[in-house]
Amino acid sequence: MFDVHEMEVNFGPQHPSTHGVLRVILKVDGERIIDAKPVIGYLHRGTEKLFEHMNYPQCVPHTDRMDYVAAATNNLGFVEAVEKLMGITAQIPKRAQLLRVILSELQRISSHLLWLATHAIDIGAMTPFFYTFREREQVLDFFEAYCGARLTLNCMRIGGMPEDVPAGWLEDIQEFIDRFDVAIDEYENLLTNNRIWKRRTVGIGVLSPEEAIEWGITGPPLRGSGVNWDLRRALPYECYPELDFEVPLGKNGDTYDRYLVRMEEMRQCRRIIQQCIPLIRQTPAGDIKAKISRVIRPPEGEVYHSIESPKGELGYYIVSDGKSQNAYRCHVRPPSFVNLQALPAMAKGHLISDLVALIGTIDIVLGEVDR
Amino acid sequence: MNPWMTYLIWPLIKFSIAFIAVQALVAAMNWIERRLLGFFQARLGPNRVGPWGLGQIIADPIKFLLKEDFVPARAEKVAYYLGPILPLLPSFIVFCLIPFGPPPTFAVTNNINVGLLLIFALTSTAVYGIILGGWASNNKFSLMGGLRSAAQMVSYEVPLGLSIVGVLMLTQSLELEEIVRYQEMNSWNVFPQLVACFIFIVAMNAENNRTPFDLPEAESELVAGFHTEYSAMKFAFYMLGEYSLMIVNSCLAVTLFFGGWSLGMGGIGFTTEVMQKMGWVGGLIGTGIFVTKMMLFLFMYIWFRATFPRFRFDQLMDLGWKFLIPLALANIFVTGIVLLAFPSRLYGDTVIAVGEIMLTVIGMIVIALTLVLLFKPKRPKVINASRVSEA
């Protein structure tokens, strides 16, 4: 009786809410999505191939450019993988480890703040964007004070850290951390109990724990479905086992739960940094590098090492032939790329408005998806 | 007086004044909105051009005039050009019908006895421009924006229309002046018609495609909705139309529910009689009061925009059809029952409208309770430092 007119819509790559250059080919019936097909590769830069032509220390700045809103954790994953390959993980001084933890937790905060800002503005709430950027700006200031860069940090070295703690840095962070809880309350005031926000997020893009595991989803989307899997706890690295923090879990696996998980994660980040500051004061100043040779030539072998990046499991697989200063092969397991797989399944049957909420909730960075 | 003067020259002059005033206000609204949003969002807003950025009011139109006037290759030319113009016309005509001040001074056309109906008839034609523009620009996002807006504006016409029925039952008139006079002699309609006022404000936000109902131009979903393919002055025309209609709707809300130009209730206070005795000064004061109230409504629009996320399309329809329309019908029903069950009685030599007073008192109590609940002092949140174990 009624003709169903399917319309094909090119959602992106030039679209305000695809977070970069994601292209989704949508088949829609009216506004209801029948099929969504993500097309990626618009930001492909051959990073993995580049790694084969550079010696290990030269690779570190290139890891910045993958998940360009979370450079510190990218650095951390790479240097730890190489350290594991060289077998020097245990030699990294405590001070360097604590610095790495502080930097990567600050990075998690700034990445989550950016996620919250864009997620909220995708759903139409304009103001949280500016509130979160107020705090994100301060976090970027800390990065600038530490390594001179705000976004592409290049702030870690194989075997340690490039710089010691700058004067007054810890005091500034302490002051920021003290205020940050109130700032999170402010964002939550605008969103958490907002009826419209709840209507737009509750029950949208539900992933059951089984589905989430089958899709290989990691990070906050996995924990939003209630699976207790945080690499900082599950496969601990650096000095995370000594630190006291909780892994927030969701119940329903919908967009709202993923939102709540990330909000609580920011509070936990704050808690971790709070503990690190007195610890780092106890360590001797200047003890930030392990004693390793200047030329890094790992023994023959292969290694896979993964860390909990703000977006999920970030893994590096490195093969060394034992002779050269270059990796024979380097593969990156980017969380955004793997999490993006679930988008078509999550989007099916929802409306176009929900698609932007879903792209926001899996928190992709196209630099990392395409590498 | 010469009929030419009465029916042609004076209305033309008055219309020109209204036209210029609206244009200026719309241009100023652009600045006001950006500036206020800035303050809401912990930033400054435009403050570079002139003192407090006031030069922005002139700079923006100049920018629009100088930009490339782009027409997409396979657009339907006639409809594409017509689109931005259509929403402008009704809003300018409607301005002639709104009484800005007490009678002898500022209303452009004197007393049209079906004023309210005429205004609703005119404003509801504004949607055609958006549908045409969305369809004609040969872009799928524009088309979806146009369709969304068609469905939305048609749906929300209904609760908007129904919400004023209660007001008409009380005031017994479609003349805007009569409605204002009724309010200054009795009470502002917001009290006896609280529910209707709520519905009117919600529906007028939806009518204007403003947050949280800005789906037709949802920038994160449909790029820019119906005006994706519009640039330069055509885009500015859409904005002019939207902001003029915002102003029109604010004027209507003030006139219907908040006592128009008067500042008094029950015949006490700053009423029309008082103003008329003061001559043209009174007229100016009345207009000032009206504009102030209207600006408060415009402020509310901006406040909403800074606060709310956006509804989804089906939720918007649900809200309109399943909540607002039944509520509006219930409001009409209850108002009718109360007015019939408690008719006006003669006590001594004064007539007392028992039903209306009952409605007013109930409305006042509800408002007072809401205010108390809203501004109840909250327990200050203490950051629990002991939760963090010092390792």
Side-chain angles (χ1 to χ4, degrees):
Chain A
M1 197 170 137
F2 296 109
D3 281 353
V4 177
H5 286 291
E6 285 179 16
M7 188 162 71
E8 210 162 83
V9 180
N10 255 316
F11 199 81
Q14 310 297 337
H15 186 281
S17 59
T18 52
H19 296 203
V21 284
L22 174 67
R23 176 180 171 208
V24 188
I25 300 175
L26 291 177
K27 261 200 198 114
V28 289
D29 167 21
E31 293 226 1
R32 203 160 286 280
I33 296 167
I34 301 171
D35 195 21
K37 206 165 80 187
V39 180
I40 58 168
Y42 291 93
L43 208 58
H44 180 62
R45 288 166 296 187
T47 309
E48 290 173 5
K49 191 71 186 166
L50 277 174
F51 284 175
E52 294 170 18
H53 298 276
M54 284 178 292
N55 60 35
Y56 291 97
Q58 283 176 333
C59 292
V60 178
H62 284 268
T63 61
D64 289 337
R65 273 110 185 131
M66 289 194 301
D67 182 355
Y68 42 76
V69 299
T73 46
N74 290 6
N75 295 162
L76 181 68
F78 183 78
V79 298
E80 278 192 0
V82 178
E83 282 159 10
K84 201 167 166 185
L85 191 59
M86 294 165 74
I88 55 165
T89 309
Q91 297 173 33
I92 310 300
K94 189 70 187 290
R95 195 174 176 86
Q97 287 192 15
L98 285 165
L99 248 175
R100 285 176 176 184
V101 169
I102 290 180
L103 281 171
S104 52
E105 293 307 315
L106 280 175
Q107 189 71 76
R108 197 181 311 279
I109 287 177
S110 95
S111 171
H112 280 3
L113 284 179
L114 185 75
W115 157 81
L116 178 65
T118 50
H119 191 40
I121 215 164
D122 282 351
I123 294 184
M126 199 179 170
T127 306
F129 187 89
F130 296 96
Y131 285 6
T132 57
F133 265 58
R134 189 183 51 197
E135 270 74 46
R136 184 170 178 266
E137 200 63 20
Q138 289 174 321
V139 176
L140 296 189
D141 283 345
F142 296 139
F143 292 143
E144 193 179 3
Y146 179 70
C147 62
R150 294 163 67 80
L151 217 56
T152 49
L153 303 179
N154 186 20
C155 64
M156 291 175 197
R157 299 287 181 270
I158 297 161
M161 298 297 284
E163 301 288 338
D164 201 3
V165 183
W169 197 61
L170 292 175
E171 287 74 18
D172 288 349
I173 291 180
Q174 180 68 55
E175 197 205 341
F176 167 75
I177 288 302
D178 290 342
R179 275 183 288 118
F180 187 54
D181 232 18
V182 184
I184 300 177
D185 286 345
E186 215 173 277
Y187 319 142
E188 290 216 67
N189 257 339
L190 274 169
L191 297 175
T192 304
N193 289 321
N194 188 320
R195 294 278 285 271
I196 304 175
W197 178 261
K198 274 187 154 173
R199 277 185 160 208
R200 288 297 306 275
T201 51
V202 173
I204 303 299
V206 179
L207 277 177
S208 69
E210 293 78 25
E211 279 171 333
I213 292 170
E214 276 170 15
W215 282 110
I217 285 172
T218 48
L222 179 69
R223 293 192 285 277
S225 298
V227 182
N228 191 348
W229 181 257
D230 185 324
L231 290 174
R232 290 174 294 175
R233 277 277 180 262
L235 303 166
Y237 50 94
E238 301 299 344
C239 52
Y240 278 110
E242 301 162 29
L243 300 169
D244 179 31
F245 65 97
E246 278 150 33
V247 179
L249 296 178
K251 279 195 198 105
N252 310 315
D254 56 7
T255 303
Y256 187 65
D257 276 19
R258 289 187 280 269
Y259 157 79
L260 290 180
V261 163
R262 286 199 179 93
M263 294 310 271
E264 183 55 33
E265 251 176 40
M266 282 198 275
R267 292 186 199 273
Q268 296 299 331
C269 289
R270 175 186 167 277
R271 203 171 144 194
I272 293 172
I273 299 173
Q274 186 100 334
Q275 296 167 52
C276 284
I277 289 173
L279 284 179
I280 204 167
R281 287 211 173 100
Q282 290 163 17
T283 54
D287 184 21
I288 50 164
K289 277 176 195 157
K291 286 186 179 57
I292 54 167
S293 69
R294 281 185 181 261
V295 178
I296 288 167
R297 193 177 286 136
E300 192 178 345
E302 58 179 44
V303 69
Y304 176 78
H305 181 72
S306 58
I307 60 154
E308 185 73 25
S309 94
K311 304 194 169 51
E313 177 182 344
L314 172 68
Y316 286 86
Y317 173 70
I318 301 174
V319 181
S320 162
D321 56 6
K323 295 191 285 281
S324 65
Q325 296 181 42
N326 307 349
Y328 178 75
R329 171 81 171 101
C330 180
H331 171 71
V332 184
R333 182 218 187 269
S336 298
F337 174 70
V338 181
N339 292 355
L340 182 62
Q341 290 181 96
L343 182 69
M346 286 158 92
K348 212 161 281 179
H350 283 310
L351 299 178
I352 289 184
S353 315
D354 296 327
L355 181 75
V356 295
L358 289 175
I359 294 175
T361 193
I362 49 181
D363 193 13
I364 48 167
V365 165
L366 266 293
E368 193 183 44
V369 174
D370 294 339
R371 280 158 288 146
Chain B
M1 206 198 271
N2 187 347
W4 282 98
M5 284 294 278
T6 323
Y7 293 110
L8 193 69
I9 308 295
W10 272 118
L12 264 182
I13 292 173
K14 283 175 169 178
F15 179 75
S16 312
I17 293 173
F19 184 80
I20 293 165
V22 176
Q23 292 272 17
L25 191 56
V26 168
M29 259 310 282
N30 183 28
W31 174 79
I32 294 170
E33 172 156 27
R34 289 173 61 189
R35 199 84 173 127
L36 277 178
L37 274 181
F39 292 142
F40 276 120
Q41 295 168 344
R43 59 195 172 91
L44 286 172
N47 68 343
R48 295 287 106 178
V49 196
W52 309 296
L54 270 170
Q56 204 71 40
I57 296 173
I58 301 158
D60 277 336
I62 292 176
K63 183 195 75 178
F64 280 130
L65 280 169
L66 295 181
K67 286 221 163 184
E68 187 194 352
D69 200 6
F70 176 80
V71 182
R74 288 170 63 201
E76 291 286 335
K77 287 278 159 43
V78 178
Y80 183 80
Y81 279 93
L82 210 56
I85 300 168
L86 280 184
L88 264 184
L89 294 177
S91 54
F92 284 136
I93 300 171
V94 164
F95 263 99
C96 307
L97 304 173
I98 290 171
F100 290 100
T105 43
F106 278 95
V108 176
T109 45
N110 293 333
N111 268 345
I112 291 179
N113 55 3
V114 289
L116 201 51
L117 283 186
L118 187 57
I119 288 175
F120 272 79
L122 283 168
T123 50
S124 59
T125 57
V127 66
Y128 290 109
I130 292 175
I131 301 175
L132 271 183
W135 170 74
S137 41
N138 186 28
N139 176 325
K140 284 167 186 169
F141 288 113
S142 302
L143 179 66
M144 274 195 269
L147 284 177
R148 277 182 176 191
S149 127
Q152 174 179 337
M153 289 174 96
V154 169
S155 311
Y156 277 80
E157 280 294 323
V158 183
L160 196 71
L162 286 177
S163 71
I164 62 164
V165 173
V167 175
L168 301 185
M169 287 159 92
L170 289 177
T171 56
Q172 310 264 322
S173 173
L174 281 165
E175 240 172 84
L176 290 174
E177 276 184 30
E178 278 301 308
I179 293 174
V180 175
R181 289 195 171 218
Y182 168 86
Q183 292 182 65
E184 65 186 20
M185 295 322 286
N186 295 282
S187 81
W188 289 3
N189 280 331
V190 60
F191 299 116
Q193 287 297 314
L194 185 60
V195 179
C197 181
F198 167 73
I199 295 168
F200 189 88
I201 289 173
V202 174
M204 89 186 190
N205 260 289
E207 275 279 298
N208 284 118
N209 303 331
R210 295 284 300 181
T211 315
F213 307 105
D214 58 342
L215 296 113
E217 46 188 308
E219 77 273 352
S220 59
E221 296 156 23
L222 300 183
V223 189
F226 60 89
H227 57 64
T228 306
E229 298 285 356
Y230 281 92
S231 64
M233 214 49 207
K234 291 207 199 71
F235 170 77
F237 267 34
Y238 266 127
M239 287 293 114
L240 262 177
E242 183 185 322
Y243 279 81
S244 321
L245 276 180
M246 261 167 73
I247 296 170
V248 166
N249 274 351
S250 306
C251 290
L252 276 183
V254 170
T255 313
L256 290 174
F257 294 101
F258 290 87
W261 63 76
S262 71
L263 202 63
M265 289 201 293
I268 314 156
F270 222 58
T271 57
T272 313
E273 273 69 40
V274 180
M275 287 178 205
Q276 276 170 341
K277 267 178 211 149
M278 290 163 77
W280 63 272
V281 179
L284 274 185
I285 292 175
T287 312
I289 292 171
F290 187 91
V291 172
T292 313
K293 288 179 184 171
M294 187 191 77
M295 291 309 268
L296 286 177
F297 271 91
L298 293 175
F299 175 75
M300 185 200 70
Y301 272 114
I302 298 165
W303 195 358
F304 283 179
R305 182 169 174 199
T307 313
F308 290 130
R310 186 181 302 121
F311 271 107
R312 206 173 62 197
F313 190 64
D314 55 331
Q315 293 165 349
L316 178 89
M317 287 292 145
D318 281 359
L319 183 73
W321 290 99
K322 293 184 189 161
F323 179 67
L324 288 184
I325 291 178
L327 192 66
L329 288 173
N331 178 55
I332 294 171
F333 184 71
V334 170
T335 311
I337 293 276
V338 172
L339 288 184
L340 279 180
F342 305 98
S344 304
R345 289 211 191 116
L346 204 64
Y347 290 100
D349 41 342
T350 47
V351 184
I352 290 181
V354 186
E356 287 158 39
I357 290 174
M358 279 175 65
L359 286 174
T360 310
V361 170
I362 293 171
M364 283 176 168
I365 291 173
V366 172
I367 290 178
L369 282 179
T370 319
L371 286 180
V372 167
L373 281 180
L374 271 182
F375 293 103
K376 197 174 60 176
K378 282 179 194 143
R379 205 157 42 89
K381 191 155 184 171
V382 184
I383 306 168
N384 191 358
S386 64
R387 204 177 64 176
V388 180
S389 60
E390 296 288 336

